[in-house]
Amino acid sequence: MAVASAPKTWGNYIGGEWVASESGKTFESRSPSNTNDLIGEFAASTKADVEAAIQAATDAAPKWRDTNVVARSVILLKAAEILASRQNEIGRELAREEGKTLKEGIGETGRAIQILRYYAGEAQQPNGEHYPSMNLDTLLYTTREPLGVVGVITPWNFPIAIPAWKIAPALAFGNTVVFKPASATPLLAARFVDALHEAGLPAGVLNMVTGSASVVGDPIVEDDRIAAISFTGSGEVGRKMSVTAAKRGAKIQLELGGQNPAIVLADADMNHALQHVMTGAMWSTGQKCTATSRAIVHRSIVDEFTSKLLEKIEGLNVGDPLDEATHLGPVISAEAADNVVAGADRAKQEGNELLIGGGRLTDDGREHGFFVAPTLFANVDPSTHLGQEEIFGPIMGVIPVDDIDEAIAIANSVKYGLAASIFTRDLGRALHFAKKIQAGIVHINSETPGAEPQVPFGGYKGSSSYSREQGKSARDFYTQVKTVYIDPPPAS
Ligand code: NAP
C-alpha cells in the first residue's frame, strides 16, 4: 500500500490567506486504505475561526456582487485550468484520502474542472425575464440578484466534485461563501479552494474552515449573516439543520441519501443490465448517494441474472485504490465498515439469502484499512432493513417480481427517491416507468449513478428538500428575484 509523501499542515482559508486556527490545534487526515498513511494535518477550528470566516465573507460581499460576470467567469475558468494541469496528481490524492480507485479519483477531479467551466459559461446566460404589462408604456422585467453570504457544507464521498457543484455556482452568481468540508477529506477541499485562490479570487469571497461538525458546522447554520445554506450529507443531520435554518428564515437546500432501485425486465439485454447493475452498486465501493441498492428482477430471469451477477461480483478485486488492478477500495472509516457488516448481519437475520460477502477483509495487505467484501443477497424481502435503508457500502439485494407494476410499487416503497433505472427493450414500459417512478433522476438502460452537471440533480421524498442542484437550477437557489416596473415620467 502506498505511504504518504511529505504530509503538510494546512490552515483555514480566511480573507484570502491560509491561517492557523486560533486554537493552534490540528487534526489528521489518514488514508482509509492504510491508516499509517498520513495525508495531512488540518486546522481544528474554533467558533472564533468561524466568526472570522463569516465576517470576511460579509465584508467581501458588496464588492463581489458588483463585480461583472465576465470577470467572475474568468476566475472560474482559470481555476479550472489550474486543476486541469494537476488532474492526475489531485486524482491520486483523492484516491488516497477518500479510497475510491485512481481512475475514479482522476475522473472526479475532471468533473470538478467541468463544473467550473460550465458555471463560467452559465454566469453569462440571461438573468431575468421581460413581461408584458397591463400598462402599455410600462417596461416590466425580473432580474436575479445574489443572496449575499452562503454556507456550504459537504460530505466526504465526492470530496472535490460536490464542493465544486455548490461553490462554483454560488460564486458565479455573485455570492460569497463560507465552506465547511467533511473532516474525512479536507485535503481535496483545500486543493479546490487553493485553485480558486491561485486563479485570483479576491480575498474574503471564499472562506474555508475545517474541523468538528458541531463546532464549525452549527455556527454556520445559526448565523444571521448567512443568507442560505447548501448541504449534502445524511438525512438526520440535514433535517436538523433545516429546523435551525427555518427558525431564522434562512434559505436551505438539502441533498440527502438514496436507496436506489434498478428494475430488470424479462426482455432486457441481460449482459448490459448485469454490467450496469454491478457497476451501479459497487463502483466507488458503493458509497454514492445514487448507488444501486436493489435489483428488482422479473421472476422468469431472476435465477440466471442472480447467478451471473454473483460471478461478476466474485471477480472484483478489493484492495489498494492506487493499484490499477483494483476495482474497489476501502469504505471511508471503521464505523462505515462496521455499518456494512451490521447491515449484512441484519439482512441474514431477517431471512434474506447471503450469496457472497458480508464481512471485513483484513488479509493480503488490507490489515491497516477499512475493506469490506462486496456483498450480494438474493430473494430479498423488500420490507426488510436491506430493502428499505441506505447502508452506504458495497452491498445490494436482488428482489424477484412478477410484473412491472409490482416492480415499480416495490421501487417506490422506500422513504427515498433519488435515482432509479429500468432495463428493457420495450419503449412503452420504459415510459410507463419514467412516469410512475418516484425519483428525481431516471435512467432507461443505464446505471442509477450517472449524472451530468448541466442538468438538475436531486431527489424526491426523503432524498432532497424539493430543491435541485447543478444545471440551471443552481441559479434558482443562489439568487433571488427582483421585479422591476419602469414607467415613463408623465409628459410635462
Ligand atoms: P454527514 O455525516 O451528514 O456529514 C455531511 C457534512 O455535514 C460533513 O461536513 C459533516 O462534518 C457535517 N455535519 C455533520 N453534523 C453536522 C452538524 N450538526 N452541523 C453542521 N454540520 C454537520 O454525511 P456524510 O457521512 O459525510 O455523507 C454521507 C451521506 O451523504 C449519505 O447519506 C449520502 O447518501 C449522502 N450524499 C448525498 C448526495 C446527494 O446529492 N443527494 C451526494 C453525496 C452524498 P464532519 O465531516 O466534520 O462530521
Side-chain angles (χ1 to χ4, degrees), residues 59-73:
D59 293 343
K63 195 163 174 201
W64 184 245
R65 68 177 283 146
D66 289 341
T67 300
N68 78 67
V69 290
V70 178
R72 288 185 212 144
S73 296

Side-chain angles (χ1 to χ4, degrees), residues 149-481:
V149 183
V150 301
V152 165
I153 301 178
T154 57
W156 47 265
N157 68 327
F158 284 94
I160 194 161
I162 292 180
W165 83 49
K166 292 180 186 300
I167 293 170
L171 300 178
F173 302 132
N175 302 280
T176 60
V177 174
V178 178
F179 170 36
K180 184 237 172 295
S183 297
T185 52
L187 177 61
L188 268 293
R191 291 292 183 213
F192 182 73
V193 168
D194 209 33
L196 282 156
H197 170 72
E198 241 184 84
L201 193 70
V205 171
L206 171 62
N207 305 274
M208 181 179 85
V209 192
T210 52
S212 133
S214 53
V215 177
V216 176
D218 287 347
I220 294 175
V221 183
E222 289 162 3
D223 197 292
D224 279 336
R225 287 167 292 180
I226 305 239
I229 295 122
S230 180
F231 170 80
T232 297
S234 59
E236 198 188 329
V237 171
R239 274 183 282 276
K240 204 176 126 223
M241 263 179 208
S242 69
V243 172
T244 310
K247 275 189 186 151
R248 65 178 186 85
K251 192 173 186 182
I252 186 160
Q253 167 182 68
L254 307 176
E255 292 303 335
L256 309 171
Q259 219 290 10
N260 309 294
I263 295 175
V264 184
L265 298 184
D267 70 342
D269 180 312
M270 172 79 77
N271 288 334
H272 179 76
L274 278 165
Q275 183 63 18
H276 280 251
V277 167
M278 189 279 285
T279 58
M282 299 295 165
W283 272 195
S284 295
T285 324
Q287 299 177 115
K288 292 178 184 173
C289 51
T290 49
T292 306
S293 302
R294 294 169 290 159
I296 303 173
V297 183
H298 194 269
R299 208 174 289 280
S300 63
I301 56 161
V302 73
D303 288 343
E304 183 189 357
F305 182 89
T306 308
S307 68
K308 287 184 170 166
L309 184 60
L310 174 61
E311 264 173 48
K312 277 191 176 290
I313 292 176
E314 279 169 338
L316 296 175
N317 298 323
V318 181
D320 182 354
L322 300 180
D323 182 338
E324 282 189 2
T326 294
H327 299 107
L328 271 70
V331 293
I332 191 69
S333 62
E335 192 191 354
D338 291 346
N339 194 38
V340 177
V341 174
D345 287 346
R346 181 158 173 189
K348 276 187 277 180
Q349 283 157 17
E350 292 185 330
N352 301 309
E353 187 187 335
L354 177 67
L355 296 183
I356 190 170
R360 291 278 294 262
L361 297 170
T362 53
D363 55 351
D364 290 338
R366 296 178 288 201
E367 57 276 17
H368 299 299
F370 310 121
F371 295 94
V372 291
T375 301
L376 175 64
F377 281 86
N379 291 315
V380 168
D381 173 346
S383 69
T384 58
H385 181 260
L386 179 65
Q388 292 289 313
E389 299 299 330
E390 180 189 53
I391 297 179
F392 220 55
I395 177 167
M396 68 170 300
V398 178
I399 301 171
V401 286
D402 289 316
D403 59 44
I404 184 172
D405 287 320
E406 187 190 0
I408 293 172
I410 288 172
N412 286 340
S413 71
V414 298
K415 64 186 174 216
Y416 300 104
L418 188 52
S421 291
I422 192 167
F423 294 87
T424 178
R425 290 188 169 96
D426 184 322
L427 180 59
R429 287 197 175 114
L431 290 174
H432 178 64
F433 166 78
K435 193 166 176 188
K436 295 291 177 188
I437 192 73
Q438 295 163 359
I441 302 157
V442 177
H443 290 272
I444 312 292
N445 293 315
S446 61
E447 62 175 39
T448 54
E452 298 189 29
Q454 70 278 21
V455 284
F457 179 92
Y460 277 35
K461 304 193 283 186
S463 290
S464 196
S465 55
Y466 299 97
S467 51
R468 293 291 179 267
E469 295 196 275
Q470 306 197 62
K472 292 192 184 301
S473 301
R475 189 188 295 269
D476 295 344
F477 183 73
Y478 289 109
T479 60
Q480 56 189 326
V481 176

